[in-house]
Every structure is written in structure tokens, then in C-alpha cells.
């Protein structure tokens, strides 16, 4: 593996402008994406997963949102310092993005081939013909049968799974190194979901693509990812290699999430849930944001924000009283 | 290509529409109080002369017999004699169609040429000065009645600036265009106002859509985002709006042709009504009905061409 991560995020903070000032939605998030690896980003709805990814693309939805701190390094480049024109070259050229709902994220009145070719023409200045030839090649790579004919089809003429493949092809038109996938399989049925996951793994292997994979589903994460980042209330709760996180989660929130997975419950027992609601931007708890719902919370948790400390090799957790080995070492 | 199959059978719809329109106008026109023979002969008419005229035009027959005569004539390519012009109504109509066509299509063209850039400006600079000005235009354009707007434009361009004729219709092509600028503009302004408002809303919705997020995530610049993705997706509602408003345009042509003394169908209709020239009114109504069916047909073809999801 090459030296250093492809994408390195440090203390990324995204805030929303309110009358009383900036309020962070994503708060001090740090992680590395290694070349050819898949990083799973999990967390409840509203925890800031999508916002983090939109920040990486510098495409925050709405004028009231801004990156208010931190750094995003793509190789040697600092993305937060780029001007808009340079940033456009990064989007689609070096980082591609796919979404949960291909039906709404593709232009309904333009053929798939034209959407891919358009991106290639813009980034590589290719001729119309050459761009279309490459577009057909990309469609072939994502496993669309008869790509020459399908390039002329409109999004609504594809089935659900094929449309998801088409969206992946559109995002990968210019062979970016990094792919951000925001819940790409959530809306699909189980068999199609498995096929799309397989495709992403194949693309990682064949193109050395690095992927940030957002999902609610820890089951999907454990099948595909190399490492896992768990978000809670806009902050990272835990980050580490998949094995460590799944087998020995240290943050009580991660542990709770794992116990909540349908597969985790033995037959005949209740499916566990984490009691309470995730916090909202305007009512963030003090100290550790998880403390109102945490079975292990103590006085410290209410008052002090836990540091994102290393609990094992490459494994970090933000908890005063982490679970598992080493918990006696904590205060 | 079977998405376009409706092009083959849709024109058949014209038949029942025309039939219905002919019956309705036939009855309506004849229930207007007044007698065409009396109008034609003026105040000094004798009962004798009136009876002669009524017999000459078949007005003394029962209504349903008159209607059957009318249908029979129609099969021979005649619409019946105009009482006022003394020639077949079809001949009268053919001389009157051109100015109205120029008026309506000119107005639609001007409205589109105004509305698309204005809506684009307004949507792209939402909340800024340009947006406020455009919205002021679209509110104001709706507020003025066409006849008033027409008179104001005449005062400005014909009286004060003296660059355009006040009324009438020219002889050669250039002269005709010159005469039609003001009438077209008068008709176009309110239409442009509605279209601008409608297009702006569609463009704003499209600018906030998921697909635009995805296009931006591919690094494409805002000009491409706007003209290649936002605009085509905003056109379908605009086309439908135009089609719906065509009735309003045709009605408007009556007023505007009167204000500018344009010798078109609208003016003919007004004259026909005043003189109780049944056949003329009937003919104009049928042409207007045909036009509105044809224009909706055209709008359907355009919609299918613009939006590949639409099937008719
Ligand atoms: N345009 C916006 N302005 C202000 N706050 C926003 C905006 N969009 C989202 N938020 C807030 O940002 C927070 C994070 O949202 P985000 O979409 O990143 O969550 P998520 O983890 O992706 O959730 P989901 O799993 O539902 O997709 C939420 O609390 C949300 O209310
Ligand atoms: Mg999300």
C-alpha cells in the first residue's frame, strides 16, 4: 500500500448560522481514508453523516451552512483552501459521490450516456465521440449489459438495481480515486443490495478505489468495510478497524448499536434498542453528547466532553468509561 | 418511437370537437336578440324587404333545417354566405387568418424570448436586486388590462416617439411586421409575466433538487448546471401553461385587434356579432376551436419531445 492515506480529515467542523451565532452540526471530526480501503460511516439519523460528506465535497446544502474549522487533505492538496474552480476539478475528477436514491439524483430528461459523457468532456476536454466511447466503457465496468444500447436510455428506463449501477457509472465517469457513497443500498431490496455491494468491492479491487460508505446498517458495514467510524450528535464516537469495532466496541453507543442489530439478538429474546432520542443541533447535551442515553454515564460525563483517545492500535473512542478491556484503566 | 403514436390518431379528436362547437355556436348565435336582415337594411327597411332577405339566406326555415343546410354546405367546402360581405364565409376567413396568426405566434415568441432569460436571471440571483426587478415586472405585467396597456404603448411608441404605426396592417412583409410589433407586444407582456413567474418557480424547485446536487458533485460549472439540467427540466410546466393560456390569447386577440384596428379574426368576430352575421360568427368560432385543439396537440408533441417519461 502506498504511503499515507488518500484522504485525511482533521477536526472538521461544519456549522449552521443562527441568530445567536454559529452552531456546529459536525464537530471536530477526524479520520483517514486509506488507499483501496472502505471506511464505513455509521450513526443514527441526524448524526451528521451526510453533512460530513457534503463538507468533503464543499457542497453544503444552503447558504447558512459553512465549514468553520479543520482541514481536509486529498493527497497533497488542502481542499478547504481551494478556490471554486479548482474545487470543481476535484469534484467528479478526484472524488465521486453517489446517493441513496438514483431516481432523484439522475437527470430524468438526459440519457445516461450523455450524463457520463458530459462529465468526461468537462474534466478531460474530450471530444463528443471520445467521451461517449469512454461512457460506454464505464457502463460496461459497472456491469450494465449491452452498454452501447443502454447509453442511449433515460434513467426511468432502467430497473432499480441497474439505475443504481448507472448512477455509480455517472459518478465514476472520470475515474476518481475516492468514492463517497451516501447510503447507496438503503433503498434497495436485499438481493440487489448484495449485488451493488459486490460491485463496490469489485471496483475497489480493480481500480484501487477508496470508498467512504455511509449506512445505518451495521450488517452491511461488517460485510464490506475495512474500518468503521461511528458518529453521534455530530461528533465521532468511535473509530477503528472493523474487526475491533464489531468484536470489541469500546464506546457504549457503538456497543448499543451492535446489540440493536436484528442478527445480534438470539432467537426468542427481545431485540434491544437504545432508549431515548438522538440529540438535535439546538439541544445538544453538555459534556458527552451521549450521556442522557448512556447506561454507564456518571457525573464526569455530564460535565466534560470526553477526549477522542486511543484505546488500542488504530482504535479511538470518545468515552470517559469505555467498555471492554482497559476500562479499569479509565478514570 | 411509439411514444409519438398519438400524433396519428389525435387529429381524429377534431371531428367530435368541431361537431360540438358547430352545434353550440349555431344555437347561441341565433339566440342573440336582433334580426340580421333588419341590421343589414338599416332603419328604413320595409317588412317586405326584410322577408326577402330572410328567405334569401334561409333564415325563415326552422333552426334544425338551417343546421342541416349548414352541414350540407360544409361538405361542399362552403360555410354559407356572409350576410354582410355577400361572399362565402370561408373566403372571408382566409383573408383574415394571417394577421391573427402573426399576432398570436408573434406574441408567444416575444413572451418566450422575454420570459426565459428573465426567469433564469431571477432564479439564479434569487433574493438579489435582479430577482426583485423581475418579480416586479411579473406582478405589474399581470396587473394591467390589455386594452389599457395597448393604448399606453401606442401613446409611447406612436405618439411620443413616433417610431411605430398606431393601427392597421401593412401590405408587404416588412410593413406588416412593422404594424404588428405593438399589437404583439401588447399581447406578449401579460403572457410573459405569467410565464416568467411560472418558469422562475420551476427553476427554483429544480435548482434545489437532488439531481442538481448530483450534477454539482460531478464538478460541472453552474452554467452547465443551469442551461443543461435546470432549464430542460423546467420547460414542461411552461409548455403546459402556454397551452392552457391559448384560450386567453385567442380571446385577447379580439380586444387587441379592436384597439389596433388589425383586420384579423378577432375584429371579424366583433363585426359579425354586431351585424348579426350568423355565418361569420359561426365560422370564426369554429376556426378558434380548431386552433385551440391544434395548439394543445402541438403542446403535447412538445411535451413528449422534452420529457422522455411522458407517454400519451
Ligand atoms: N440545510 C440545513 N440547515 C441546517 N441544518 C441542517 C440542514 N440540513 C441538515 N441539517 C441538520 O444537520 C444534522 C445532520 O444532518 P445529516 O443529514 O448529516 O444527518 P445524517 O446522519 O446523514 O442522517 P440520515 O441518516 O437521516 O441521512 C441534522 O441534525 C439536521 O437537522
Ligand atoms: Mg444522510
Amino acid at each position: 500500500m502506498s504511503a499515507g492515506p488518500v484522504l485525511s480529515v482533521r477536526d472538521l467542523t461544519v456549522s449552521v448560522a443562527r441568530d445567536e451565532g454559529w452552531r456546529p452540526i459536525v464537530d471536530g471530526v477526524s479520520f483517514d481514508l486509506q488507499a483501496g480501503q472502505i471506511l464505513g460511516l455509521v450513526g443514527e439519523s441526524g448524526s451528521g453523516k451526510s453533512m460530513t460528506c457534503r463538507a468533503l465535497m464543499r457542497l453544503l446544502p444552503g447558504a447558512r451552512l459553512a465549514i468553520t474549522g479543520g482541514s481536509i487533505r486529498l493527497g497533497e492538496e488542502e481542499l478547504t483552501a481551494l478556490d471554486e474552480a479548482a474545487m470543481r476539478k476535484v469534484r467528479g475528477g478526484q472524488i465521486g459521490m453517489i446517493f441513496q436514491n438514483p431516481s432523484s439524483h439522475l437527470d430524468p430528461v438526459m440519457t445516461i450516456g450523455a450524463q457520463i459523457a458530459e462529465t468526461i468532456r468537462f474534466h478531460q476536454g474530450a471530444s463528443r465521440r471520445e467521451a461517449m466511447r469512454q461512457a460506454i466503457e464505464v457502463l460496461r465496468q459497472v456491469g450494465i449489459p449491452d452498454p452501447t444500447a443502454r447509453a442511449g436510455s433515460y434513467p426511468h428506463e432502467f430497473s432499480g438495481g441497474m439505475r443504481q449501477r448507472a448512477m455509480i457509472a455517472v459518478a465514476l465517469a472520470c475515474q476518481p480515486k475516492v468514492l463517497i457513497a451516501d447510503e447507496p443500498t438503503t433503498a434497495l431490496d436485499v438481493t440487489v443490495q448484495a449485488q451493488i455491494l459486490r460491485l463496490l468491492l469489485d471496483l475497489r479491487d480493480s481500480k484501487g478505489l477508496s470508498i467512504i460508505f455511509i449506512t445505518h446498517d451495521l450488517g452491511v458495514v461488517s460485510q464490506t468495510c475495512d474500518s468503521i467510524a461511528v458518529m453521534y450528535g455530530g461528533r465521532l464516537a468511535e473509530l477503528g478497524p472493523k474487526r475491533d469495532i464489531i468484536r470489541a466496541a469500546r464506546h457504549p453507543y457503538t456497543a448499543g448499536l451492535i446489540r440493536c442489530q436484528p442478527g445480534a439478538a438470539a432467537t426468542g429474546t427481545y431485540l434491544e434498542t437504545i432508549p431515548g432520542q438522538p440529540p438535535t443541533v439546538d439541544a445538544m447535551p453538555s459534556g458527552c453528547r451521549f450521556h442522557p442515553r448512556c447506561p454507564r454515564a456518571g457525573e464526569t460525563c455530564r460535565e466534560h466532553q470526553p477526549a477522542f483517545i486511543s484505546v488500542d492500535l488504530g482504535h479511538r473512542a470518545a468515552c470517559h468509561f469505555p467498555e471492554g478491556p482497559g476500562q479499569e484503566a479509565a478514570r | 418511437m411509439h411514444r409519438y403514436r398519438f400524433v396519428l390518431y389525435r387529429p381524429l379528436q377534431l371531428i367530435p370537437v368541431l361537431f360540438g362547437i358547430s352545434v353550440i355556436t349555431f344555437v347561441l348565435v341565433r339566440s342573440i336578440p336582433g334580426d340580421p336582415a333588419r341590421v343589414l337594411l338599416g332603419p328604413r327597411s320595409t317588412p317586405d324587404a326584410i322577408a326577402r332577405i330572410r328567405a334569401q339566406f334561409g333564415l325563415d326555415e326552422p333552426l334544425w333545417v338551417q343546421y342541416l343546410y349548414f352541414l350540407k354546405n360544409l361538405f361542399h367546402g362552403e360555410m354559407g354566405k356572409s350576410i354582410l360581405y355577400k361572399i362565402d364565409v370561408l373566403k372571408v376567413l382566409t383573408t383574415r387568418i394571417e394577421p391573427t396568426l402573426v399576432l398570436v405566434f408573434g406574441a408567444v415568441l416575444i413572451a418566450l424570448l422575454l420570459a426565459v432569460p428573465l426567469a433564469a436571471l431571477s432564479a439564479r440571483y434569487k433574493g438579489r436586486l435582479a430577482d426583485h426587478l423581475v418579480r416586479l415586472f411579473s406582478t405589474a405585467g399581470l396587473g394591467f388590462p390589455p386594452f389599457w396597456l395597448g393604448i399606453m404603448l401606442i401613446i409611447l411608441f406612436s405618439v411620443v416617439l413616433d417610431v411605430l404605426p398606431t393601427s392597421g396592417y401593412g401590405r408587404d412583409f416588412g410593413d406588416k411586421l412593422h404594424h404588428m410589433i405593438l399589437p404583439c407586444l401588447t399581447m406578449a407582456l401579460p403572457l410573459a409575466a405569467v410565464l416568467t413567474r411560472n418558469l422562475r418557480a420551476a427553476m427554483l424547485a429544480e435548482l434545489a433538487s437532488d439531481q442538481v446536487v448530483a450534477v454539482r458533485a460531478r464538478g460541472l460549472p453552474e452554467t452547465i448546471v443551469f442551461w443543461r439540467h435546470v432549464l430542460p427540466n423546467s420547460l414542461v410546466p411552461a409548455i403546459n401553461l402556454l397551452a392552457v393560456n391559448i384560450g386567453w390569447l385567442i380571446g385577447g386577440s379580439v380586444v387587441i385587434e379592436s384597439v389596433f384596428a388589425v383586420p384579423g379574426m378577432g375584429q371579424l368576430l366583433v363585426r359579425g356579432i354586431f351585424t348579426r352575421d350568423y355565418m361569420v360568427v359561426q365560422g370564426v368560432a369554429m376556426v378558434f376551436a380548431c386552433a385551440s385543439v391544434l395548439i394543445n396537440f402541438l403542446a403535447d408533441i412538445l411535451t413528449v419531445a422534452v420529457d422522455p417519461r411522458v407517454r400519451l
Side-chain angles (χ1 to χ4, degrees), chain A residues 104-105 107 115 118-119 123, chain B residues 210-211 214 218-220 229 233:
Chain A
S104 68
H105 285 91
D107 187 340
Q115 296 188 49
E118 164 186 71
T119 316
H123 283 286
Chain B
D210 286 346
Q211 69 110 345
R218 290 190 265 136
L220 296 175
H229 297 277
N233 278 286

Side-chain angles (χ1 to χ4, degrees), chain A residues 69-282:
Chain A
S71 97
I72 305 163
R73 292 196 81 82
L74 179 72
E76 295 298 302
E77 243 167 354
E78 174 59 47
L79 298 190
T80 54
L82 292 184
D83 63 15
E84 188 53 28
M87 196 59 217
R88 276 202 289 270
K89 287 278 157 201
V90 172
R91 295 182 200 125
Q94 303 192 56
I95 308 180
M97 192 160 181
I98 60 173
F99 305 87
Q100 177 175 339
N101 187 348
S103 310
S104 68
H105 285 91
L106 289 168
D107 187 340
V109 305
M110 194 187 254
T111 64
I112 290 295
Q115 296 188 49
I116 302 174
E118 164 186 71
T119 316
I120 294 171
R121 276 164 64 81
F122 174 71
H123 283 286
Q124 297 170 6
S127 69
R128 217 169 269 276
R129 248 188 122 103
E130 169 61 15
M132 193 47 86
R133 196 193 59 73
Q134 285 187 35
I136 290 166
E137 187 48 38
V138 178
L139 284 174
R140 190 190 318 280
Q141 285 167 3
V142 299
I144 288 183
D146 195 7
T148 314
R150 295 308 272 174
S153 296
Y154 291 93
H156 74 276
E157 295 167 333
F158 287 82
S159 67
M162 282 300 145
R163 205 176 299 150
Q164 191 60 271
R165 284 175 196 264
M167 181 168 67
I168 294 173
V170 172
L172 296 183
C174 294
Q175 322 281 339
K177 304 181 277 201
V178 176
L179 179 70
I180 298 175
D182 194 347
E183 309 199 35
T185 58
T186 310
L188 301 173
D189 66 55
V190 187
T191 42
V192 180
Q193 179 173 332
Q195 289 164 10
I196 296 297
L197 290 178
R198 186 74 251 159
L199 170 66
L200 289 176
L201 290 175
D202 288 346
L203 288 169
R204 176 195 61 180
D205 296 337
S206 63
K207 293 175 174 279
L209 198 62
S210 315
I211 303 175
I212 297 179
F213 191 99
I214 301 182
T215 177
H216 285 120
D217 188 345
L218 271 176
V220 168
V221 167
S222 59
Q223 283 171 47
T224 48
C225 298
D226 301 294
S227 46
I228 299 179
V230 182
M231 276 192 93
Y232 187 83
R235 289 186 186 147
L236 278 191
E238 190 160 6
L239 171 69
K242 171 181 76 184
R243 218 170 249 277
D244 296 4
I245 303 265
I246 300 286
R247 294 222 184 122
R250 309 300 281 276
H251 198 289
Y253 175 61
T254 317
L257 272 186
I258 291 168
R259 279 195 295 270
C260 290
Q261 290 300 306
T267 21
T269 59
Y270 286 111
L271 187 57
E272 268 193 63
T273 54
I274 303 176
Q277 293 295 315
T280 60
V281 184
D282 293 294

Side-chain angles (χ1 to χ4, degrees), chain A residues 16 25 44-51 61 65 183 216 281:
Chain A
V16 56
I25 293 180
E44 280 164 298
S45 195
S47 57
K49 308 180 295 292
S50 298
M51 210 53 83
L65 292 164
E183 309 199 35
H216 285 120
V281 184

Side-chain angles (χ1 to χ4, degrees), chain B residues 17 22 25 65 71 75 77 108 123 144 156-157 285 299 311:
Chain B
V17 168
S22 70
T25 49
V65 177
L71 281 190
F75 274 107
V108 169
F144 301 133
L156 177 64
F157 286 102
R311 281 172 180 282

